[in-house]
Coordinates of all heavy atoms in Angstrom, one line a residue:
F1 N -10.7 0.5 26.1 CA -10.5 1.4 25.0 C -9.2 1.1 24.2 O -8.2 0.8 24.9 CB -10.4 2.9 25.5 CG -10.1 3.9 24.4 CD1 -11.0 4.3 23.6 CD2 -8.8 4.3 24.3 CE1 -10.7 5.3 22.6 CE2 -8.4 5.2 23.3 CZ -9.4 5.7 22.5
V2 N -9.3 1.1 22.9 CA -8.1 0.9 22.1 C -8.2 1.8 20.9 O -9.3 1.9 20.3 CB -7.9 -0.6 21.8 CG1 -9.0 -1.1 20.9 CG2 -6.6 -0.8 21.1
D3 N -7.1 2.4 20.5 CA -7.0 3.1 19.2 C -5.6 2.9 18.7 O -4.9 2.0 19.2 CB -7.4 4.5 19.3 CG -6.5 5.5 20.0 OD1 -5.4 5.0 20.4 OD2 -6.8 6.6 20.2
H4 N -5.2 3.7 17.7 CA -3.9 3.5 17.1 C -2.7 4.1 17.9 O -1.6 3.9 17.5 CB -3.9 4.1 15.6 CG -4.1 5.6 15.6 ND1 -5.3 6.2 16.0 CD2 -3.3 6.6 15.3 CE1 -5.2 7.5 15.9 NE2 -3.9 7.7 15.4
E5 N -3.0 4.8 19.0 CA -1.9 5.4 19.8 C -1.8 4.8 21.2 O -0.8 4.9 21.8 CB -2.1 6.9 19.8 CG -2.0 7.6 18.5 CD -2.3 9.1 18.6 OE1 -3.1 9.5 19.5 OE2 -1.7 9.8 17.8
R6 N -3.0 4.3 21.7 CA -3.0 3.9 23.1 C -4.0 2.8 23.4 O -4.9 2.6 22.6 CB -3.1 5.1 24.1 CG -4.3 6.0 23.8 CD -4.2 7.3 24.5 NE -3.4 7.4 25.8 CZ -2.2 7.9 25.9 NH1 -1.6 8.4 24.8 NH2 -1.6 8.0 27.0
I7 N -3.9 2.3 24.6 CA -4.8 1.3 25.0 C -5.1 1.5 26.5 O -4.2 2.0 27.2 CB -4.4 -0.2 24.8 CG1 -5.4 -1.2 25.2 CG2 -3.0 -0.4 25.5 CD1 -5.1 -2.6 24.7
V8 N -6.3 1.3 27.0 CA -6.7 1.6 28.4 C -7.2 0.2 28.9 O -8.1 -0.4 28.3 CB -7.7 2.7 28.5 CG1 -8.2 2.8 29.9 CG2 -7.2 4.0 27.9
F9 N -6.7 -0.1 30.1 CA -7.1 -1.3 30.8 C -7.9 -0.9 32.1 O -7.5 0.1 32.7 CB -5.9 -2.2 31.2 CG -5.2 -2.7 30.0 CD1 -4.0 -2.0 29.6 CD2 -5.5 -3.9 29.4 CE1 -3.3 -2.5 28.5 CE2 -4.8 -4.4 28.3 CZ -3.7 -3.7 27.9
A10 N -8.9 -1.7 32.4 CA -9.6 -1.4 33.7 C -9.8 -2.7 34.4 O -9.8 -3.8 33.8 CB -11.0 -0.7 33.4
G11 N -9.9 -2.6 35.7 CA -10.1 -3.8 36.5 C -10.2 -3.5 38.0 O -10.2 -2.3 38.4
N12 N -10.2 -4.5 38.8 CA -10.3 -4.5 40.2 C -8.9 -4.5 40.8 O -8.0 -5.2 40.4 CB -11.1 -5.7 40.7 CG -11.5 -5.7 42.1 OD1 -10.6 -5.6 43.0 ND2 -12.8 -5.8 42.4
A13 N -8.8 -3.8 41.9 CA -7.5 -3.7 42.6 C -6.9 -5.0 43.1 O -5.7 -5.2 43.1 CB -7.5 -2.7 43.8
L14 N -7.8 -6.0 43.3 CA -7.4 -7.3 43.8 C -6.6 -8.1 42.8 O -5.7 -8.9 43.2 CB -8.6 -8.1 44.3 CG -9.3 -7.5 45.5 CD1 -10.5 -8.4 45.8 CD2 -8.4 -7.5 46.7
N15 N -6.8 -7.8 41.5 CA -6.2 -8.6 40.5 C -5.7 -7.7 39.3 O -5.8 -8.1 38.2 CB -7.0 -9.8 40.0 CG -8.4 -9.3 39.4 OD1 -8.6 -8.1 39.4 ND2 -9.2 -10.2 39.0
F16 N -5.2 -6.5 39.6 CA -4.8 -5.6 38.6 C -3.3 -5.7 38.4 O -2.5 -5.2 39.3 CB -5.2 -4.2 39.0 CG -5.2 -3.2 37.8 CD1 -6.2 -3.2 36.9 CD2 -4.2 -2.3 37.7 CE1 -6.2 -2.4 35.8 CE2 -4.2 -1.4 36.6 CZ -5.2 -1.4 35.7
P17 N -2.8 -6.3 37.3 CA -1.3 -6.6 37.2 C -0.5 -5.4 36.7 O 0.7 -5.6 36.7 CB -1.3 -7.7 36.3 CG -2.5 -7.4 35.3 CD -3.5 -6.8 36.2
L18 N -1.0 -4.3 36.3 CA -0.2 -3.2 35.7 C 0.2 -2.2 36.7 O -0.5 -1.8 37.6 CB -1.1 -2.6 34.6 CG -1.6 -3.5 33.5 CD1 -2.4 -2.7 32.5 CD2 -0.5 -4.3 32.8
S19 N 1.4 -1.7 36.5 CA 2.0 -0.7 37.4 C 2.4 0.5 36.6 O 3.0 0.4 35.5 CB 3.3 -1.3 38.1 OG 3.0 -2.4 38.8
Q20 N 2.2 1.7 37.2 CA 2.6 2.9 36.5 C 4.1 3.0 36.3 O 4.8 2.6 37.2 CB 2.1 4.1 37.4 CG 2.3 5.5 36.7 CD 1.6 6.6 37.4 OE1 0.5 6.4 37.9 NE2 2.2 7.7 37.5
G21 N 4.5 3.4 35.1 CA 5.9 3.5 34.8 C 6.5 2.2 34.2 O 7.6 2.2 33.8
A22 N 5.7 1.1 34.2 CA 6.2 -0.1 33.7 C 5.8 -0.3 32.2 O 5.0 0.4 31.7 CB 5.6 -1.3 34.5
E23 N 6.5 -1.2 31.5 CA 6.3 -1.5 30.1 C 5.9 -2.9 30.0 O 6.5 -3.8 30.6 CB 7.6 -1.2 29.3 CG 7.3 -1.1 27.8 CD 8.5 -0.6 27.1 OE1 9.7 -1.0 27.4 OE2 8.3 0.2 26.2
Y24 N 4.9 -3.2 29.1 CA 4.4 -4.5 28.9 C 4.2 -4.9 27.5 O 3.9 -4.0 26.6 CB 3.0 -4.6 29.6 CG 3.0 -4.4 31.1 CD1 2.8 -3.1 31.6 CD2 3.3 -5.4 32.0 CE1 2.8 -2.9 33.0 CE2 3.3 -5.2 33.3 CZ 3.1 -4.0 33.8 OH 3.1 -3.7 35.2
G25 N 4.3 -6.1 27.1 CA 4.0 -6.6 25.8 C 2.5 -7.0 25.8 O 2.0 -7.6 26.8
V26 N 1.8 -6.7 24.7 CA 0.4 -7.0 24.6 C 0.1 -7.6 23.3 O 0.6 -7.2 22.2 CB -0.4 -5.7 24.8 CG1 -1.9 -5.9 24.6 CG2 -0.2 -5.0 26.1
K27 N -0.7 -8.7 23.3 CA -1.2 -9.3 22.1 C -2.7 -9.0 22.0 O -3.5 -9.3 22.9 CB -1.0 -10.8 22.2 CG -1.6 -11.6 21.1 CD -1.4 -13.1 21.3 CE -2.1 -13.9 20.2 NZ -2.0 -15.4 20.5
M28 N -3.1 -8.4 20.9 CA -4.5 -8.1 20.7 C -5.0 -8.9 19.5 O -4.3 -8.9 18.4 CB -4.7 -6.6 20.4 CG -4.3 -5.7 21.6 SD -4.6 -4.0 21.2 CE -3.0 -3.6 20.4
S29 N -6.2 -9.5 19.6 CA -6.8 -10.2 18.4 C -8.1 -9.6 18.1 O -8.9 -9.3 19.0 CB -7.0 -11.7 18.8 OG -5.8 -12.3 19.0
F30 N -8.4 -9.3 16.8 CA -9.6 -8.7 16.3 C -10.2 -9.6 15.3 O -9.5 -10.1 14.4 CB -9.3 -7.4 15.6 CG -8.6 -6.4 16.6 CD1 -7.2 -6.3 16.7 CD2 -9.4 -5.5 17.3 CE1 -6.7 -5.4 17.6 CE2 -8.8 -4.6 18.2 CZ -7.4 -4.5 18.3
T31 N -11.5 -9.8 15.4 CA -12.3 -10.6 14.4 C -12.5 -9.6 13.2 O -13.0 -8.5 13.4 CB -13.6 -11.1 15.0 OG1 -13.3 -11.9 16.1 CG2 -14.4 -11.9 14.0
L32 N -12.3 -10.1 12.0 CA -12.4 -9.3 10.8 C -13.8 -9.5 10.2 O -14.3 -8.6 9.5 CB -11.3 -9.6 9.8 CG -9.9 -9.3 10.3 CD1 -8.9 -9.7 9.2 CD2 -9.8 -7.9 10.7
K33 N -14.4 -10.6 10.3 CA -15.7 -10.9 9.7 C -16.6 -11.3 10.9 O -16.3 -11.3 12.0 CB -15.6 -11.9 8.7 CG -14.6 -11.6 7.6 CD -15.3 -11.1 6.4 CE -14.2 -10.8 5.3 NZ -14.7 -10.0 4.3
E34 N -17.8 -11.8 10.5 CA -18.8 -12.3 11.5 C -18.3 -13.6 12.1 O -18.7 -14.0 13.2 CB -20.2 -12.5 10.9 CG -20.9 -11.2 10.8 CD -20.6 -10.4 9.5 OE1 -20.3 -11.1 8.5 OE2 -20.6 -9.2 9.5
T35 N -17.4 -14.3 11.5 CA -16.9 -15.6 12.0 C -15.6 -15.4 12.7 O -14.7 -14.6 12.2 CB -16.8 -16.6 10.9 OG1 -15.6 -16.4 10.1 CG2 -18.0 -16.7 10.0
P36 N -15.3 -16.0 13.8 CA -14.0 -15.9 14.5 C -12.9 -16.5 13.7 O -11.7 -16.4 14.1 CB -14.3 -16.5 15.8 CG -15.5 -17.3 15.7 CD -16.3 -16.8 14.5
A37 N -13.2 -17.2 12.6 CA -12.1 -17.9 11.8 C -11.2 -16.9 11.1 O -10.1 -17.2 10.8 CB -12.8 -18.9 10.8
V38 N -11.7 -15.7 10.9 CA -10.9 -14.7 10.2 C -10.6 -13.6 11.2 O -11.5 -12.9 11.7 CB -11.7 -14.1 9.0 CG1 -10.9 -13.0 8.3 CG2 -12.2 -15.2 8.1
S39 N -9.3 -13.6 11.6 CA -9.0 -12.6 12.7 C -7.6 -12.0 12.3 O -6.8 -12.5 11.5 CB -9.0 -13.2 14.0 OG -8.0 -14.2 14.1
R40 N -7.3 -10.9 13.0 CA -6.0 -10.3 12.9 C -5.4 -10.1 14.3 O -6.1 -9.7 15.2 CB -6.2 -8.9 12.3 CG -5.0 -7.9 12.3 CD -4.3 -7.8 11.0 NE -3.1 -6.9 11.1 CZ -3.0 -5.9 10.3 NH1 -3.9 -5.6 9.4 NH2 -1.9 -5.2 10.4
T41 N -4.1 -10.5 14.4 CA -3.4 -10.3 15.7 C -2.4 -9.2 15.6 O -1.7 -9.1 14.6 CB -2.7 -11.6 16.1 OG1 -3.7 -12.7 16.1 CG2 -2.0 -11.5 17.4
V42 N -2.4 -8.3 16.6 CA -1.5 -7.2 16.7 C -0.7 -7.3 18.0 O -1.3 -7.5 19.0 CB -2.4 -5.9 16.7 CG1 -1.4 -4.7 16.9 CG2 -3.2 -5.7 15.4
Y43 N 0.6 -7.2 17.8 CA 1.5 -7.3 18.9 C 2.1 -5.9 19.2 O 2.6 -5.2 18.2 CB 2.7 -8.2 18.7 CG 2.2 -9.7 18.6 CD1 1.9 -10.2 17.3 CD2 2.1 -10.5 19.7 CE1 1.5 -11.5 17.2 CE2 1.7 -11.8 19.5 CZ 1.4 -12.3 18.3 OH 1.0 -13.6 18.2
V44 N 2.0 -5.4 20.4 CA 2.6 -4.1 20.7 C 3.3 -4.1 22.1 O 3.1 -5.1 22.8 CB 1.5 -3.0 20.8 CG1 0.7 -2.8 19.5 CG2 0.5 -3.3 22.0
T45 N 4.1 -3.1 22.3 CA 4.7 -2.9 23.6 C 4.1 -1.6 24.1 O 4.0 -0.6 23.3 CB 6.2 -2.8 23.6 OG1 6.7 -4.0 23.0 CG2 6.8 -2.7 25.0
C46 N 3.6 -1.5 25.3 CA 3.1 -0.3 25.8 C 3.6 0.1 27.2 O 4.0 -0.8 27.9 CB 1.5 -0.4 25.8 SG 0.9 -1.6 27.0
F47 N 3.6 1.4 27.4 CA 4.1 2.0 28.6 C 3.0 2.5 29.4 O 2.1 3.3 28.9 CB 5.1 3.1 28.3 CG 5.6 3.9 29.5 CD1 6.7 3.3 30.2 CD2 5.1 5.1 29.8 CE1 7.2 4.0 31.3 CE2 5.6 5.8 30.9 CZ 6.6 5.3 31.7
V48 N 2.8 2.2 30.7 CA 1.7 2.6 31.6 C 2.1 4.1 32.0 O 3.0 4.3 32.9 CB 1.5 1.7 32.8 CG1 0.4 2.3 33.6 CG2 1.3 0.3 32.4
E49 N 1.4 5.0 31.4 CA 1.7 6.4 31.7 C 1.0 6.9 33.0 O 1.6 7.6 33.8 CB 1.2 7.4 30.6 CG 2.0 7.2 29.3 CD 1.7 8.3 28.3 OE1 0.5 8.8 28.3 OE2 2.6 8.6 27.5
K50 N -0.2 6.3 33.3 CA -0.9 6.7 34.5 C -1.9 5.6 34.9 O -2.5 5.0 34.1 CB -1.6 8.1 34.3 CG -2.4 8.6 35.4 CD -1.6 9.3 36.4 CE -2.4 10.0 37.5 NZ -1.8 10.3 38.6
V51 N -1.9 5.4 36.2 CA -3.0 4.5 36.8 C -3.9 5.3 37.6 O -3.5 6.1 38.5 CB -2.4 3.4 37.6 CG1 -3.5 2.5 38.3 CG2 -1.5 2.5 36.8
Y52 N -5.2 5.3 37.2 CA -6.2 6.1 37.9 C -7.0 5.1 38.8 O -7.2 3.9 38.5 CB -7.2 6.7 36.9 CG -6.5 7.7 36.0 CD1 -6.1 7.3 34.7 CD2 -6.4 9.0 36.3 CE1 -5.5 8.2 33.9 CE2 -5.8 9.9 35.5 CZ -5.3 9.5 34.2 OH -4.7 10.4 33.4
A53 N -7.5 5.6 39.9 CA -8.3 4.8 40.9 C -9.5 5.6 41.4 O -9.5 6.9 41.4 CB -7.4 4.4 42.1
D54 N -10.6 4.9 41.7 CA -11.7 5.6 42.3 C -11.3 6.0 43.8 O -10.2 5.6 44.2 CB -12.9 4.7 42.3 CG -12.8 3.4 43.2 OD1 -11.7 3.1 43.6 OD2 -13.8 2.8 43.4
E55 N -12.1 6.7 44.5 CA -11.8 7.2 45.8 C -11.6 6.1 46.8 O -10.8 6.2 47.8 CB -12.7 8.2 46.3 CG -14.2 7.9 46.2 CD -15.1 9.1 46.7 OE1 -14.9 10.2 46.2 OE2 -15.9 8.8 47.5
D56 N -12.2 4.9 46.6 CA -11.9 3.8 47.5 C -10.7 2.9 47.1 O -10.4 1.9 47.7 CB -13.2 2.9 47.5 CG -14.4 3.6 48.1 OD1 -14.2 4.5 49.0 OD2 -15.5 3.4 47.6
K57 N -10.1 3.3 45.9 CA -9.0 2.6 45.4 C -9.3 1.1 45.1 O -8.4 0.2 45.3 CB -7.7 2.7 46.3 CG -7.3 4.2 46.4 CD -5.9 4.3 47.0 CE -5.5 5.6 47.3 NZ -5.8 6.7 46.5
I58 N -10.5 0.8 44.7 CA -10.9 -0.5 44.4 C -10.9 -0.7 42.8 O -10.5 -1.7 42.3 CB -12.3 -0.8 45.0 CG1 -12.2 -0.9 46.5 CG2 -12.8 -2.2 44.5 CD1 -13.5 -1.0 47.2
K59 N -11.5 0.2 42.1 CA -11.5 0.2 40.7 C -10.3 1.0 40.1 O -10.1 2.1 40.5 CB -12.8 0.8 40.2 CG -14.0 0.0 40.6 CD -15.3 0.7 40.2 CE -16.5 0.1 40.9 NZ -17.7 0.9 40.6
L60 N -9.6 0.3 39.2 CA -8.4 0.9 38.6 C -8.5 1.0 37.1 O -9.1 0.2 36.5 CB -7.1 0.1 39.0 CG -6.8 0.0 40.5 CD1 -5.6 -0.9 40.8 CD2 -6.6 1.4 41.2
C61 N -7.7 1.9 36.6 CA -7.7 2.1 35.1 C -6.3 2.5 34.7 O -5.7 3.4 35.3 CB -8.7 3.2 34.7 SG -8.8 3.5 33.0
A62 N -5.7 1.8 33.8 CA -4.3 2.1 33.3 C -4.3 2.7 31.9 O -4.8 2.1 31.0 CB -3.4 0.9 33.4
D63 N -3.8 3.9 31.8 CA -3.7 4.6 30.5 C -2.3 4.3 29.9 O -1.3 4.7 30.5 CB -3.9 6.1 30.7 CG -3.9 6.8 29.4 OD1 -4.0 6.2 28.3 OD2 -3.7 8.1 29.5
C64 N -2.3 3.6 28.8 CA -1.0 3.1 28.2 C -0.8 3.6 26.8 O -1.7 3.7 26.0 CB -1.0 1.6 28.2 SG -1.4 0.8 29.8
R65 N 0.5 4.0 26.6 CA 0.9 4.5 25.2 C 1.8 3.5 24.6 O 2.6 2.9 25.2 CB 1.7 5.8 25.4 CG 2.3 6.4 24.2 CD 3.1 7.6 24.4 NE 3.9 7.6 25.6 CZ 5.1 7.0 25.7 NH1 5.7 6.5 24.6 NH2 5.8 7.0 26.8
Y66 N 1.5 3.2 23.3 CA 2.3 2.2 22.6 C 3.8 2.8 22.5 O 4.0 3.9 22.1 CB 1.8 1.9 21.2 CG 0.4 1.4 21.2 CD1 -0.5 2.0 20.3 CD2 0.0 0.4 22.0 CE1 -1.8 1.5 20.2 CE2 -1.4 0.0 22.0 CZ -2.2 0.5 21.1 OH -3.5 0.1 21.1
T67 N 4.7 1.9 22.7 CA 6.1 2.3 22.5 C 6.7 1.5 21.3 O 7.6 2.1 20.7 CB 7.0 1.9 23.8 OG1 6.8 0.6 24.2 CG2 6.6 2.8 24.9
T68 N 6.2 0.4 21.0 CA 6.5 -0.3 19.7 C 5.2 -0.8 19.1 O 4.4 -1.5 19.8 CB 7.5 -1.5 19.9 OG1 7.0 -2.4 20.8 CG2 8.8 -1.0 20.5
I69 N 5.1 -0.5 17.8 CA 3.9 -1.0 17.1 C 4.3 -0.9 15.6 O 5.0 0.0 15.2 CB 2.6 -0.2 17.4 CG1 1.4 -0.8 16.6 CG2 2.8 1.3 17.1 CD1 0.1 -0.2 17.0
Q70 N 4.0 -2.0 14.8 CA 4.3 -2.0 13.4 C 3.4 -1.0 12.7 O 2.3 -0.7 13.0 CB 4.1 -3.4 12.8 CG 4.9 -4.5 13.4 CD 6.4 -4.3 13.0 OE1 6.7 -4.0 11.9 NE2 7.3 -4.5 14.0
E71 N 4.0 -0.4 11.6 CA 3.3 0.7 10.9 C 2.0 0.1 10.3 O 1.0 0.8 10.4 CB 4.2 1.2 9.7 CG 3.5 2.4 9.0 CD 4.5 3.0 8.0 OE1 5.7 2.8 8.1 OE2 3.9 3.6 7.0
E72 N 2.0 -1.1 9.8 CA 0.7 -1.7 9.3 C -0.3 -1.9 10.4 O -1.5 -1.8 10.1 CB 1.0 -2.9 8.5 CG 1.6 -4.1 9.3 CD 3.1 -4.1 9.3 OE1 3.8 -3.1 9.0 OE2 3.6 -5.2 9.7
D73 N 0.1 -2.1 11.6 CA -0.8 -2.3 12.7 C -1.4 -0.9 13.1 O -2.6 -0.8 13.5 CB -0.1 -2.9 13.9 CG 0.2 -4.4 13.6 OD1 -0.4 -5.0 12.7 OD2 1.2 -4.9 14.2
V74 N -0.6 0.2 13.0 CA -1.1 1.5 13.3 C -2.2 1.8 12.3 O -3.3 2.3 12.7 CB 0.0 2.6 13.2 CG1 -0.6 4.0 13.2 CG2 1.0 2.4 14.2
R75 N -2.0 1.5 11.0 CA -3.0 1.7 10.0 C -4.2 0.9 10.2 O -5.3 1.4 10.2 CB -2.4 1.4 8.6 CG -3.3 1.7 7.4 CD -2.6 1.3 6.1 NE -1.3 1.9 5.9 CZ -0.2 1.2 5.9 NH1 -0.2 -0.1 6.1 NH2 1.0 1.8 5.8
F76 N -4.0 -0.4 10.6 CA -5.2 -1.3 10.8 C -6.0 -0.7 12.0 O -7.2 -0.6 11.9 CB -4.7 -2.7 11.1 CG -5.7 -3.6 11.7 CD1 -6.7 -4.1 10.8 CD2 -5.8 -3.9 13.0 CE1 -7.7 -4.9 11.3 CE2 -6.8 -4.7 13.5 CZ -7.8 -5.2 12.7
L77 N -5.4 -0.4 13.1 CA -6.1 0.1 14.3 C -6.8 1.4 14.0 O -8.0 1.6 14.4 CB -5.2 0.2 15.5 CG -4.7 -1.1 16.1 CD1 -3.6 -0.8 17.1 CD2 -5.8 -1.9 16.7
Y78 N -6.2 2.3 13.3 CA -6.8 3.6 13.0 C -8.1 3.4 12.1 O -9.1 3.9 12.4 CB -5.8 4.5 12.2 CG -6.4 5.8 11.8 CD1 -6.3 6.9 12.7 CD2 -7.0 6.0 10.6 CE1 -6.9 8.1 12.3 CE2 -7.6 7.2 10.2 CZ -7.5 8.2 11.1 OH -8.1 9.4 10.7
E79 N -7.9 2.5 11.1 CA -9.1 2.3 10.2 C -10.2 1.5 10.9 O -11.4 1.8 10.7 CB -8.6 1.6 8.9 CG -7.7 2.5 8.1 CD -7.1 1.8 6.9 OE1 -7.4 0.6 6.6 OE2 -6.4 2.5 6.1
K80 N -9.8 0.6 11.8 CA -10.9 -0.2 12.5 C -11.6 0.8 13.5 O -12.8 0.7 13.6 CB -10.2 -1.3 13.3 CG -11.1 -2.2 14.1 CD -10.9 -3.6 13.8 CE -11.8 -4.5 14.5 NZ -12.9 -5.0 13.8
V81 N -10.9 1.6 14.2 CA -11.6 2.5 15.2 C -12.4 3.6 14.5 O -13.5 3.9 14.9 CB -10.5 3.1 16.2 CG1 -11.1 4.1 17.1 CG2 -9.9 1.9 17.0
T82 N -11.8 4.3 13.5 CA -12.4 5.5 13.0 C -13.3 5.2 11.8 O -14.2 6.0 11.5 CB -11.3 6.5 12.5 OG1 -10.6 5.9 11.4 CG2 -10.4 6.9 13.6
G83 N -13.1 4.1 11.1 CA -13.9 3.8 9.9 C -13.4 4.6 8.7 O -14.0 4.6 7.6
S84 N -12.3 5.3 8.9 CA -11.7 6.2 7.8 C -10.3 5.6 7.4 O -9.7 4.9 8.2 CB -11.4 7.6 8.3 OG -12.7 8.2 8.7
L85 N -9.9 5.9 6.1 CA -8.6 5.4 5.7 C -7.5 6.2 6.3 O -7.6 7.4 6.6 CB -8.5 5.6 4.2 CG -9.4 4.7 3.3 CD1 -9.2 5.0 1.8 CD2 -8.9 3.2 3.5
F86 N -6.4 5.5 6.7 CA -5.3 6.1 7.3 C -4.4 6.7 6.1 O -4.0 5.9 5.2 CB -4.5 5.1 8.1 CG -3.3 5.6 8.8 CD1 -3.5 6.3 10.0 CD2 -2.0 5.4 8.3 CE1 -2.4 6.8 10.7 CE2 -0.9 5.9 9.0 CZ -1.1 6.6 10.2
I87 N -4.1 8.0 6.2 CA -3.3 8.6 5.1 C -2.0 9.0 5.6 O -1.9 9.6 6.6 CB -4.1 9.8 4.4 CG1 -5.4 9.2 3.8 CG2 -3.2 10.4 3.4 CD1 -6.3 10.3 3.2

């Protein structure tokens, strides 16, 4: 999941690199047209607010809030996710 305020990562406990309370730099690339030749790259820093696990602690999910993101990237992500103009 990704929107203009947060990103969520999911994975297996054996190779899950994110820790609750830590901050990470993230590079996201989005295809703008049907061809991968036209894309947009968004760089953010995010803080892992909470790591959730299933009862067996095998499947993990990290809920992260952006701590740094460019204003034009907020607008881009909002419009990409909602299909509405960012005002």
Side-chain angles (χ1 to χ4, degrees):
F1 172 82
V2 63
D3 72 6
H4 65 291
E5 296 177 332
R6 55 196 330 104
I7 186 168
V8 177
F9 298 94
N12 187 303
L14 295 175
N15 59 0
F16 198 76
L18 305 179
S19 300
Q20 188 167 321
E23 193 169 42
Y24 298 93
V26 177
K27 174 184 173 183
M28 298 181 273
S29 295
F30 299 90
T31 301
L32 300 179
K33 305 261 183 196
E34 282 83 33
T35 75
V38 182
S39 65
R40 166 105 182 234
T41 301
V42 175
Y43 296 93
V44 300
T45 304
C46 63
F47 176 79
V48 181
E49 291 189 333
K50 179 80 174 160
V51 174
Y52 298 93
D54 67 349
E55 49 184 53
D56 297 326
K57 299 197 185 321
I58 294 173
K59 298 174 187 171
L60 301 176
C61 179
D63 181 19
C64 307
R65 175 183 41 84
Y66 303 134
T67 53
T68 59
I69 183 171
Q70 296 294 317
E71 186 175 337
E72 62 269 17
D73 293 333
V74 172
R75 185 179 310 108
F76 169 76
L77 290 172
Y78 179 88
E79 292 176 359
K80 181 128 179 101
V81 171
T82 66
S84 300
L85 289 176
F86 184 79
I87 299 177

